[in-house]
Amino acid sequence: MQQLFLKFLYAVAAIRYPNYKGDLRYFVRDNWYARLYQIRFWGNDYLTKKPYKVIEFQGEFDQELRYVIPFAYWHHLNGTLKQTISCSNTKPFYFFSENHDERHSQRIWQKAYGNYNMPNMTHSPAFDYSKWTPVPFKTHYRNQQFVYEKPLLVIANKYNIEWDKPPVNFLSIDSLDRLISALKPTYQIVYNRPLTGQIVLDNSEIMDLGEHAWIRAKHPEVLLMNDLFDQNQSEVSNYNHLQLMVYANCDRFISMHGGTAALASHFGGINVILSHPGGGWEHAFNEYETIFPAFSGARILHARNVEEVFTFVEDNF
């Protein structure tokens, strides 16, 4: 029965969005089905309103930030959240959950497919915000520990395998040199690129860019998140906790396509996101103008190439 209904929804999506190619229609179909699936919980969510909801996720970090944690936070506010289950070192993201189980030691991106338990489950031309509430990370984690004479600016880089191909969305050492040289007189820059062992990986293998030693030598004024982690291990529970504390004190971000961009978008201010066309469906669904600003009211500036990153930074920072 489910498969027949999914085929019907796919046909409707083909009529509703005739310009979308096949893969995009599957995203539309799956989101429609996930939202209709929520009807069965109407009584629990709006009448009895007792803790019953167990939310488990083992998929990509990006999807967890977009769809899962705001869904869990809505249930927390609604009084219906019973338990959250996710991967290692995720408790700081679920600070509002009284019963959080870090059950999984690795992320498996395929686990998100066919998981219709959340009304927003994947990319979409429109999102359902009826059971989706922005999580107040900035308010909860704002602190006096990571306060400096200059305002903070976070450069959140990555250098990963993307879509089983070599890295696409990243800042090279030459690009970092140009940005840091221009910005360090005005900002206290924190450079963040987590290494293997600091975060739970999915299908995106972390590669060696070699920039950490270079930054220490060429730009010693820049604080490396890796060094901050080593220096503050008695104050933070894990690397994610540290990221949340530093980001909470920051209003200017430069981030990369994927979970890096999603995390930075949860903290308001301005976030310049490098996301090249041709990879990821955020472009096709215009998500940098829909769900990304909805995370926190952040101003999202979508750079389609590195030169646009420089232009946005020069004009807005």
Side-chain angles (χ1 to χ4, degrees), residues 288-301:
Y288 293 122
E289 295 186 16
T290 57
I291 195 169
F292 275 77
F295 291 139
S296 64
R299 183 182 175 198
I300 305 299
L301 301 176

Side-chain angles (χ1 to χ4, degrees), residues 21-222:
K21 63 180 182 180
D23 286 348
L24 300 186
R25 294 170 186 170
Y26 281 113
F27 291 129
V28 173
R29 178 205 70 176
D30 285 347
N31 277 297
W32 282 350
Y33 186 83
R35 291 160 197 173
L36 291 170
Y37 189 80
Q38 290 295 309
I39 295 173
R40 69 180 61 192
F41 304 114
W42 188 88
N44 300 86
D45 290 340
Y46 299 107
L47 294 179
T48 57
K49 298 185 70 170
K50 295 180 180 180
Y52 82 96
K53 197 66 169 181
V54 176
I55 298 173
E56 181 173 4
F57 190 76
Q58 195 184 355
E60 291 182 334
F61 180 54
D62 175 49
Q63 290 178 292
E64 189 162 21
L65 287 169
R66 290 168 174 249
Y67 316 127
V68 184
I69 303 176
F71 179 60
Y73 188 63
W74 181 89
H75 274 285
H76 163 70
L77 296 179
N78 195 50
T80 45
L81 184 64
K82 182 177 181 181
Q83 184 183 26
T84 50
I85 304 168
S86 185
C87 297
S88 303
N89 301 328
T90 53
K91 175 59 179 173
F93 293 115
Y94 293 88
F95 65 87
F96 52 86
S97 176
E98 296 182 1
N99 185 7
H100 182 69
D101 183 2
E102 296 181 343
R103 183 173 301 177
H104 307 295
S105 60
Q106 68 178 103
R107 293 184 179 276
I108 302 173
W109 65 271
Q110 297 95 331
K111 288 279 188 178
Y113 289 94
N115 183 351
Y116 299 107
N117 293 312
M118 291 151 291
N120 302 296
M121 64 167 293
T122 188
H123 298 286
S124 179
F127 294 95
D128 182 353
Y129 299 107
S130 61
K131 295 182 181 179
W132 188 99
T133 301
V135 185
F137 290 125
K138 196 175 190 77
T139 300
H140 184 79
Y141 284 106
R142 187 179 287 122
N143 61 87
Q144 293 299 314
Q145 186 168 351
F146 300 105
V147 175
Y148 304 92
E149 292 183 4
K150 299 175 184 177
L152 274 173
L153 182 148
V154 171
I155 298 177
N157 201 10
K158 71 175 185 178
Y159 194 59
N160 297 357
I161 295 295
E162 297 182 78
W163 309 290
D164 296 322
K165 299 177 182 179
V168 175
N169 298 290
F170 69 96
L171 295 172
S172 67
I173 288 179
D174 287 343
S175 297
L176 289 171
D177 193 25
R178 181 174 169 182
L179 284 170
I180 292 171
S181 297
L183 292 167
K184 70 181 182 181
T186 305
Y187 295 95
Q188 174 57 66
I189 299 174
V190 173
Y191 179 79
N192 185 24
R193 187 172 74 87
L195 302 178
T196 302
Q198 293 174 330
I199 57 174
V200 178
L201 301 180
D202 44 34
N203 62 315
S204 302
E205 178 188 351
I206 294 177
M207 302 178 68
D208 183 15
L209 184 58
E211 81 284 21
H212 290 91
W214 171 82
I215 290 174
R216 291 188 186 100
K218 181 71 180 292
H219 297 286
E221 309 93 333
V222 174

